[in-house]
Amino acid sequence: MRPNDSFVDAVAENLLDRLEDCKKSFPTALCLGGSLEAVRRLLGGRGGIEKLIMMDTSYDMIKLCKDTEKDVHNENIETSYIVGDEEFLPLKESSVDVVLSCLGLHWTNDLPGSMIQCRLALKPDGIFLGAILGGETLKELRIACTVAQMEREGGISPRISPLAQVRDAGNLLSRAGFALPGVDVDEYVVKYQSALELIEHLRSMGETNALLQRNNMLNRETALATAAIYDSMFAAEDGTIPATFQVIFMTGWREHSSQQKAKRRGSATVSFKDIQKKFGNGN
């Protein structure tokens, strides 16, 4: 991960803004793998967090977070670091107030199972806030690579990992048992000097293809053709090329008696016909 990556920082800020919008405090927080360093650095005093657990499957990422600890100005936050797997959370049930995941869960093999474990780790009325890359991410690169492969190789193979669609996110929250599920989407367009710079950025983010069935190497001619097609189809007047990142933000709560609930079907006392007669414009 590149230090102070502007795209990653923007997503982390957007995620933490949702935490700040909540009118309650979350003393104990779990931050799952992905953009750990950005979340830790940008957290500030949001959410009233007093104890922060940073978890990642990679020891190197945990070490990076520890090494940058001295540069973080989050006073009065007790921080601990653990190496763990999102699919097997090493936490007791009902032990944290908030679970944060910034650009990490889309790498999980068993995403529904991981989100169920996140819900179980939350205390009643605890909140889950997650950000994952959506299916429209890198649409320009996908198009250019597909055209180049068809021209040079006569067929295509996946060069970018499959990503969730917006409709899938809501289903995942409901399937995991979260109350008051919410999903919204942002698109970030990042400009690069060349396709090579884009690929290097993806590598630094750890966002290259993770499929076991992928081809390990991209043919040199196909790679050059991809860059040329990308430039011819999408280049801006200033010579830069755009790359679209679709980010899906997910919000869900652990069920609690204080939360609003939908009324029982058939319990309404006013009909829509009466409302239309009273407020309708006659059309």
Side-chain angles (χ1 to χ4, degrees), residues 133-182:
L133 293 179
E136 293 298 308
T137 294
L138 300 176
K139 57 187 177 183
E140 302 91 350
L141 180 60
R142 294 172 192 268
I143 293 171
C145 196
T146 298
V147 173
Q149 283 187 307
M150 290 295 294
E151 288 182 354
R152 295 295 192 273
E153 302 173 18
I156 60 174
S157 61
R159 307 305 312 180
I160 301 172
S161 294
L163 298 168
Q165 300 297 324
V166 177
R167 62 180 179 273
D168 299 328
N171 294 335
L172 282 167
L173 288 166
S174 298
R175 181 176 172 184
F178 284 105
L180 308 176

Side-chain angles (χ1 to χ4, degrees), residues 218-236:
L218 182 64
N219 182 285
R220 175 179 169 80
E221 287 190 5
T222 304
L224 293 174
T226 298
I229 292 169
Y230 201 132
D231 187 73
S232 65
M233 292 182 69
F234 301 107

Side-chain angles (χ1 to χ4, degrees), residues 58-223:
S58 168
Y59 173 80
D60 291 336
M61 283 299 297
I62 292 296
K63 185 176 184 299
L64 173 65
C65 288
K66 284 184 176 180
D67 292 343
T68 57
E69 175 74 20
K70 61 181 180 297
D71 300 323
V72 176
H73 304 289
N74 287 335
E75 298 84 358
N76 304 320
I77 298 181
E78 176 190 343
T79 307
S80 58
Y81 301 88
I82 56 176
V83 177
D85 192 338
E86 292 93 340
E87 297 180 32
F88 304 96
L89 286 183
L91 295 176
K92 294 181 180 179
E93 186 173 340
S94 303
S95 58
V96 297
D97 300 288
V98 57
V99 175
L100 301 168
S101 177
C102 185
L103 300 178
L105 279 179
H106 54 271
W107 282 106
T108 306
N109 290 318
D110 181 15
L111 184 51
S114 297
M115 293 181 66
I116 289 172
Q117 291 199 44
C118 289
R119 179 180 62 82
L120 293 175
L122 287 169
K123 297 176 182 177
D125 206 29
I127 188 173
F128 166 82
L129 291 170
I132 61 174
L133 293 179
E136 293 298 308
T137 294
L138 300 176
K139 57 187 177 183
E140 302 91 350
L141 180 60
R142 294 172 192 268
I143 293 171
C145 196
T146 298
V147 173
Q149 283 187 307
M150 290 295 294
E151 288 182 354
R152 295 295 192 273
E153 302 173 18
I156 60 174
S157 61
R159 307 305 312 180
I160 301 172
S161 294
L163 298 168
Q165 300 297 324
V166 177
R167 62 180 179 273
D168 299 328
N171 294 335
L172 282 167
L173 288 166
S174 298
R175 181 176 172 184
F178 284 105
L180 308 176
V183 175
D184 60 290
V185 183
D186 271 354
E187 280 196 354
Y188 302 81
V189 178
V190 183
K191 292 186 176 181
Y192 298 90
Q193 294 302 315
S194 66
L196 179 60
E197 185 183 14
L198 166 59
I199 298 302
E200 287 302 317
H201 185 203
L202 294 176
R203 285 176 176 169
S204 73
M205 291 171 63
E207 294 294 349
T208 50
N209 196 350
L211 289 176
L212 291 176
Q213 292 82 8
R214 73 189 187 278
N215 291 334
N216 288 328
M217 295 294 292
L218 182 64
N219 182 285
R220 175 179 169 80
E221 287 190 5
T222 304

